Amino acid sequence: KSGRLGHQRDTMAEERPSPQQHPSSLVVFTCSFYASAADVRFARCVEFLETAAACGWRVVVVDASPSEAIREAMRATSPRHVVRRQRAPGKKGAALREAL
């Protein structure tokens, strides 16, 4: 039985297109907040956005950082990414709802 289940999983994986095969089919929605550009998490965010762009993925970011320069740096990683200032009051949940 375990062999059969394994085979079913392999068959399903073969039928499902991977993001590498159809990079434009993957969109990542996320939210962020950085008190300053010196935050190590901000550097990781920029690295992720660059990697996503190289993979052909589109990223939608709703950012609550106080500095527009932070959002500009995120936008500079790819013209495909959408980076907006958070307008809805609240924290992570509100930002994710806004991103969708």
Side-chain angles (χ1 to χ4, degrees):
K1 290 185 180 181
S2 64
R4 182 176 174 100
L5 288 175
H7 176 71
Q8 287 176 341
R9 263 189 244 126
D10 291 343
T11 302
M12 290 173 63
E14 291 172 12
E15 294 172 5
R16 186 179 320 125
S18 73
Q20 290 79 16
Q21 292 170 321
H22 301 283
S24 63
S25 66
L26 180 67
V27 180
V28 177
F29 294 90
T30 191
C31 57
S32 61
F33 174 87
Y34 306 104
S36 78
D39 187 330
V40 69
R41 295 176 311 114
F42 174 66
R44 298 293 84 81
C45 172
V46 170
E47 286 179 15
F48 165 72
L49 292 170
E50 290 169 343
T51 300
C55 291
W57 304 342
R58 188 170 191 191
V59 181
V60 177
V61 181
V62 174
D63 178 70
S65 302
S67 172
E68 184 60 31
I70 288 175
R71 286 181 286 283
E72 286 298 323
M74 286 190 257
R75 286 185 195 107
T77 61
S78 173
R80 293 189 51 151
H81 297 333
V82 176
V83 180
R84 301 279 162 85
R85 184 175 69 78
Q86 181 176 339
R87 299 192 190 289
K91 294 187 179 184
K92 184 177 181 178
L96 288 174
R97 285 188 294 276
E98 189 173 332
L100 292 172

